[in-house]
Amino acid sequence: MSNLRTIDVALIRDTVADLCGQADLLLPADVRRALEKGLAAEESPVGKEILTRLLENADIAAAESMPICQDCGLAVVFLDIGQDLHLIGGDLVAAVNEGVRRGYEKHYLRKSVCHPFTRANTGDNTPAVVHVRIVPGDRLHLWVVPKGGGSENMSKVFLVTPAQGLPGVKERVLETVEAAGPNPCPPIILGVAIGSTFDDACLRAKRTLLRELGSVNPDPEAAALEAELLTMVNNTGIGPAGLGGRVTCLGVFVDIKPCHIASLPLAVNVQCHAARHKEAVL
Amino acid sequence: MSRTFRLTPPLGDADTTALRIGDRVLISGTIYTGRDAAHKRIVEALANGQEPPFPLAGAVIYYVGPSPAPPGRVIGAAGPTTSYRMDAYAPTLMAQGLKAMIGKGKRGDEVKAAMAQHKAVYLGAIGGAGALMARAIVEAEVIAYPELGPEAVRRLVVKDMPLVCVNDTHGGDLYLEGRRAYQR
Ligand code: SF4
């Protein structure tokens, strides 16, 4: 027992608070690169102008310590906790929520969490959504992903029939993007999880959004589908801000996993260009 | 090739009917903010014969819930929110004189019909460009429903707020037109 590595949850709290600020104020480098690449590829003059403005917006946000987007998101926090690690100092989830509370207050971020029916704001952007996974090792890897409502509202889950198969999956992804149109602030990013169960598909779709844009999927089947879906989605012509153009989507992340012999679950998590994700390893 | 119009609220029919989809619009002057929760209350107030929190005749409403103003700033990030959530309330406000709505995303058929009927327009702001949009805002003051926090109604004074006409009073829809040219 004595050689177990320990981490005080106060450190997790403070790290979460910092990452909330960084995520909402600084556009991630991979998203910036993708927007620049999009700008070079875009054919529509209006589309080019929108992409230019989005890059300018990120510069202003960084220079003036302003959020990239006023919707500073519901804080989704992923924790991969090494199984050889011992957490001390109190309740882990309470510490994460306290970190969110402090981070959103300190950095002047918008508190966007409310009761589902009365719509009364909780006032501190909690509760956060916390996903914990136990992994080998003695490190703690954490990600803060503030998720905006506009793009989350356009996300969909489908229980495709096995007979509809892969063509059915592609159709549903396209249908999701078409229905969303300009609403989720294109250019978008798509997190697509196929297989497993209803609940697991949704969580995996969200988890794919932790990936870096431009990274290569190690699963060749998924990588091929990512390329195909990206072309299909960009052929919709929706374009930046939905005003028409060739750059509707900056990247598609696909995760494929076995499922029940009766099922073919599909979850499509729509992410806007304000694709905020910051991580730390403790 | 697109034309640019400079508008100062309150707006009249001549201002709105001149616009066509794709036109650039720069608004300067006083506008008001409102999201779903505020719209619900305004429509309820009207139904009860009460005064709305700001004069609706010729008004421009911006669908926004800004982030808190950092020290020394009048407002935080202030980009548009998705407009369809206001669709249930928008025709009632247009019937009372609302002339322009600023937001992002598609509007429903009833809203588009009401725009043609009441000569109102829907102007698009760049979604997700909250820090950039904040630069156009020179004054901000909460005037109603402070308990709604970011969703409270604010009076904003803006200068050259950059917008594009998405739905005009003639039935045009830039989201449909713009897409067509780049669809493969
Ligand atoms: S969809 Fe994303 S970019 Fe658009 S307003 Fe919401 S959080 Fe901001």
Side-chain angles (χ1 to χ4, degrees), chain A residues 57 64 70 110 178-179 183, chain B residues 65 79 104 106 132 135 179:
Chain A
N57 181 66
E64 301 182 0
Q70 72 292 334
R110 196 182 81 184
E178 300 253 4
N183 295 3
Chain B
K104 58 129 172 152
K106 290 181 274 195
L132 183 102
R135 287 200 159 175
R179 232 190 109 165

Side-chain angles (χ1 to χ4, degrees), chain A residues 113-126:
Chain A
V113 179
C114 71
H115 184 277
F117 303 136
T118 67
R119 313 305 291 177
N121 199 297
T122 63
D124 59 6
N125 220 52
T126 70

Side-chain angles (χ1 to χ4, degrees), chain A residues 69-71 148 150-151 184-185 272-274 276, chain B residues 80 104 128:
Chain A
C69 179
Q70 72 292 334
D71 182 352
S151 53
C185 295
C272 53
H273 60 74
R276 296 154 290 191
Chain B
K104 58 129 172 152

Side-chain angles (χ1 to χ4, degrees), chain A residues 79-140:
Chain A
L79 295 162
D80 277 4
I81 303 175
Q83 64 192 28
D84 299 329
L85 191 60
H86 183 202
L87 301 180
I88 57 166
D91 180 324
L92 169 67
V93 173
V96 169
N97 277 313
E98 185 56 29
V100 168
R101 194 173 286 127
R102 292 186 187 188
Y104 274 68
E105 195 56 38
K106 180 173 177 207
H107 299 283
Y108 297 90
L109 306 180
R110 196 182 81 184
K111 289 91 185 171
S112 312
V113 179
C114 71
H115 184 277
F117 303 136
T118 67
R119 313 305 291 177
N121 199 297
T122 63
D124 59 6
N125 220 52
T126 70
V129 172
V130 185
H131 297 298
V132 175
R133 205 161 60 169
I134 303 296
V135 298
D138 65 356
R139 298 280 143 178
L140 188 147

